[in-house]
Amino acid sequence: MDTVFLMNSLWVMISAILVILMIGGFILLETGSTRMKNAGHIAGKTILTFGISSIVFWAVGYGLIFGEGNSILGFSDFFYSGYDVEGLGLSGAVFFLFQLAFAGISLTIAFGGFAERAKLSVYLVFALLFSVLVYPFIAHWIWGGGWLAEHGKQDFAGSTVVHLTGAMAALAATMLLKPRIGKFNKDGSANNIEGHNQVFTALSVLLLWVGWFGFNAGSTISVDGAFFGFVALNTNLAAAAGTVAAMLISWIVLGKADVPMMLNGALAGLVAITASCAFVDTWAAVVIGLLAGILVFYSIRFFESRKIDDPIFALSVHGTAGVWGTLSTGFFATPELATVGNAGLFYGGGFEQLGVQALGVAASGGFAFIVSYIILSIMKVTMKGLRVTEEEEIIGLDISEHGSYGYPELVNKEAAAKVSIENPSPGNVPLSSQQPSIN
């Protein structure tokens, strides 16, 4: 067998594994950024919904994106059987698995807007419908030879296809679900509902950062010329710049170097460089990351001022940074690297590519939001609401949806502490007041 074919297949297989491991990063990100009473629910439903999206992608998603059809949607290659694709240069099964991972990541981003208040049944039904009616359309338009591809839309690894699409679904969900109990006061001021484990959140960002090398560099789907190294370098530089920029802006404005904001800056830099990582010089990658880090800080404040409760900041990290990253190629794409579309404004390309990028943002973002909003509105009526009851939200989704806590030992210790306080005895010593509680 051809050595290059084998090397391409091995490289993309490794990249697919890295992208799938990002699901683990999202589990830690969402768990650490929310309260411990919902931790087990978040971890379990994330794995379950990735399973659903995988089955749907195998059955119809891949065919809707890459099948033969028209500029809107593909209509062949359903129930993929593992065959190779002529001219692809690598194993068809490996390419399928790589694309499946992207679809799963987009859905995971969308579910960030559902956190801490949606019913488990809502996750399951929306996972199915999003994987059929939302993601495949946009992926086909840009990556499957659809109408935006015909216009030369640049989105190397998915700032629009994966991140903006997921964020717009999250926006529809946050608007329909309404804020969590206690998020906003009657006077409109917001309360900070802190996540329960900042270390989890930091570790998640590191996992996602590493996984992003599979996301972006793996999208070369080839080892030819080792170009994946350049893409990985741009990816790392943007993430680093986003981290520093978000930390500095929070320090300047808030007077403290806010850790969650710094972590969101790293993710925003990664999201922003995802569209442009193969089309821009290294200095531009730094600029793109820096601006993403600043934008995410003000975007989070903007959505909160609009009384939109976004528990893990999916709208800002994946939406705002996704828009900026998509537009950035219209400014910074070089004539040498722009293998799709044209050079950007700063390289003599005029406003043409910037216009195409803006069109892609408007069409893809608008479609993802409108279709998701319609789907969720219908589900809200037919499923008697999207949200758990007030009592269930207060006791937490671990118990109300699954009947067991993600941290059962802590709950047992708290119960023991209450018993010891209510029934003091020589052998029943109260636990420390510093004992963590399920909140």
Side-chain angles (χ1 to χ4, degrees):
M1 184 175 284
D2 181 70
T3 302
V4 174
F5 182 91
L6 286 174
M7 291 295 291
N8 289 343
S9 300
L10 180 60
W11 162 238
V12 178
M13 186 68 215
I14 293 171
S15 298
I17 292 170
L18 285 172
V19 177
I20 291 172
L21 282 175
M22 289 171 69
I23 297 291
F26 279 111
I27 288 174
L28 285 177
L29 177 67
E30 191 173 339
T31 303
S33 302
T34 52
R35 292 163 291 185
M36 65 167 60
K37 64 184 180 181
N38 302 313
H41 163 78
I42 289 169
K45 64 84 180 169
T46 304
I47 295 295
L48 181 60
T49 53
F50 181 61
I52 292 172
S53 70
S54 296
I55 295 297
V56 174
F57 190 83
W58 163 75
V60 298
Y62 181 80
L64 293 172
I65 297 169
F66 296 105
E68 294 183 5
N70 53 37
S71 62
I72 304 300
L73 209 58
F75 296 107
S76 67
D77 300 296
F78 299 130
F79 299 98
Y80 175 75
S81 62
Y83 54 82
D84 283 336
V85 178
E86 186 177 354
L88 189 59
L90 74 160
S91 162
V94 169
F95 179 73
F96 174 89
L97 190 65
F98 187 60
Q99 293 298 331
L100 178 154
F102 278 61
I105 293 294
S106 188
L107 177 63
T108 303
I109 293 166
F111 281 154
F114 293 64
E116 295 203 296
R117 57 223 197 267
K119 298 176 183 175
L120 179 64
S121 55
V122 168
Y123 282 103
L124 305 186
V125 175
F126 189 74
L128 173 64
L129 297 176
F130 177 88
S131 300
V132 176
L133 301 176
V134 181
Y135 181 82
F137 278 83
I138 296 168
H140 179 77
W141 294 351
I142 298 172
W143 290 343
W147 69 276
L148 281 172
E150 293 170 357
H151 281 80
K153 170 76 161 60
Q154 295 169 338
D155 189 11
F156 190 72
S159 286
T160 300
V161 174
V162 177
H163 296 279
L164 181 60
T165 299
M168 289 300 97
L171 175 59
T174 57
M175 292 175 67
L176 287 168
L177 280 163
K178 307 299 181 187
R180 291 167 292 174
I181 295 172
K183 176 60 184 176
F184 295 106
N185 301 311
K186 290 183 179 179
D187 63 1
S189 59
N191 297 309
N192 183 23
I193 301 179
E194 294 182 340
H196 83 277
N197 195 321
Q198 208 168 79
V199 177
F200 274 15
T201 309
L203 181 58
S204 76
V205 171
L206 179 61
L207 285 174
L208 292 169
W209 191 321
V210 173
W212 233 284
F213 294 128
F215 212 94
N216 287 1
S219 291
T220 58
I221 64 168
S222 170
V223 297
D224 184 34
F227 184 61
F228 56 80
F230 177 78
V231 174
L233 174 61
N234 274 353
T235 300
N236 198 74
L237 288 173
T243 306
V244 173
M247 187 273 288
L248 288 177
I249 195 69
S250 69
W251 204 344
I252 293 169
V253 176
L254 304 176
K256 296 289 183 182
D258 186 69
V259 172
M261 193 60 69
M262 179 176 63
L263 301 176
N264 285 324
L267 295 177
L270 288 163
V271 170
I273 199 61
T274 297
S276 57
C277 51
F279 304 135
V280 301
D281 284 328
T282 51
W283 71 267
V286 174
V287 174
I288 291 168
L290 280 170
L291 290 175
I294 296 171
L295 282 172
V296 77
F297 174 81
Y298 286 104
S299 176
I300 288 170
R301 293 162 70 90
F302 169 76
F303 282 117
E304 191 162 275
S305 72
R306 306 303 298 174
K307 298 184 179 57
I308 294 176
D309 183 15
D310 180 16
I312 64 167
F313 311 117
L315 307 181
S316 298
V317 170
H318 301 279
T320 302
V323 170
W324 161 235
T326 302
L327 295 176
S328 70
T329 69
F331 293 106
F332 298 108
T334 73
E336 296 78 17
L337 295 172
T339 54
V340 176
N342 300 304
L345 178 64
F346 298 151
Y347 285 87
F351 288 94
E352 182 177 351
Q353 191 61 42
L354 187 59
V356 171
Q357 298 303 103
L359 174 65
V361 166
S364 301
F367 178 85
F369 174 77
I370 292 170
V371 175
S372 296
Y373 195 92
I374 292 172
I375 290 172
L376 288 167
S377 296
I378 295 172
M379 288 172 58
K380 189 172 184 177
V381 174
T382 57
M383 297 177 69
K384 298 181 180 178
L386 302 173
R387 188 166 175 157
V388 297
T389 65
E390 183 174 331
E391 180 183 11
E392 290 169 335
E393 185 174 338
I394 291 171
I395 65 173
L397 301 182
D398 279 9
I399 287 295
S400 68
E401 295 292 284
H402 308 280
S404 62
Y405 274 117
Y407 297 99
E409 291 183 351
L410 291 177
V411 178
N412 293 337
K413 287 180 180 177
E414 185 182 61
K418 289 181 178 178
V419 169
S420 67
I421 292 171
E422 293 170 358
N423 303 289
S425 68
N428 200 5
V429 180
L431 297 177
S432 166
S433 60
Q434 296 300 311
Q435 178 66 45
S437 61
I438 301 294
N439 53 33

